[in-house]
Amino acid sequence: MAMGGSGRGQQTSQINMTPMIDVLLVLIIIFMVITPLTPTGLRTLLPQPPPAEQQPPLRQEDIVITVGKDGAVFLNGERSDLARLPDRLAQVFHARGDAVIFVRGDKELEFRQIAEVIDIAKGAGLHRVALMTQ
């Protein structure tokens, strides 16, 4: 600050703006340097899923348990009771040697009905259970 005198003996103070402008210019330069530029990368095409009508059909060796609206259980399209399901699963998987099972359920079912089928599959020795969506 500069102190200047006026004609009547009073002192007036004035702010010296030059150092403040210098600091402001330095701050502007710093912010311009550290401001990230928009990254430019390679243009890529992401793989898109096929349309619903072109979904690949299930392989013949895939085992699918379907639980219907009324609670009916189907093992690869054959109706099965919940009581006989562990024995049927054990037979199918000992013959095929595959350890993956797919469970499909109607969207209006409660999950506890699906969880019951999953528990039966795990009890039959199958540890890889996949849920199918519609």
Side-chain angles (χ1 to χ4, degrees), residues 1 82 91 104 112-113 125-126 128 131:
M1 277 199 257
L82 282 178
Q91 290 173 356
R104 176 188 298 160
R112 66 178 173 82
Q113 294 170 303
L126 306 168
R128 295 183 60 195
L131 297 177

Side-chain angles (χ1 to χ4, degrees), residues 4-131:
S6 64
R8 298 189 188 157
Q10 297 177 347
Q11 292 184 348
T12 60
S13 61
Q14 294 178 347
I15 297 175
N16 189 357
M17 295 298 289
T18 305
M20 292 177 87
I21 291 174
D22 290 343
V23 169
L24 188 63
L25 288 173
V26 168
L27 286 175
I28 288 174
I29 292 171
I30 289 173
F31 284 127
M32 286 174 56
V33 168
I34 63 173
T35 302
L37 299 174
T38 54
T40 56
L42 300 174
R43 296 176 72 67
T44 60
L45 296 173
L46 297 175
Q48 301 295 321
E53 61 270 358
Q54 292 182 1
Q55 291 290 335
L58 289 175
R59 298 180 304 174
Q60 287 294 8
E61 63 263 11
D62 288 341
I63 305 299
V64 180
I65 298 177
T66 307
V67 183
K69 287 183 184 179
D70 56 352
V73 178
F74 297 92
L75 178 62
N76 280 354
E78 296 179 21
R79 189 177 182 106
S80 179
D81 296 330
L82 282 178
R84 290 186 12 198
L85 190 60
D87 296 331
R88 289 279 298 136
L89 286 174
Q91 290 173 356
V92 169
F93 279 101
H94 286 300
R96 293 191 182 184
D98 196 7
V100 179
I101 189 168
F102 295 94
V103 178
R104 176 188 298 160
D106 191 80
K107 64 181 178 180
E108 295 178 11
L109 287 175
E110 292 183 12
F111 184 73
R112 66 178 173 82
Q113 294 170 303
I114 304 297
E116 185 177 354
V117 172
I118 293 171
D119 287 340
I120 290 173
K122 290 215 179 223
L126 306 168
H127 298 291
R128 295 183 60 195
V129 178
L131 297 177

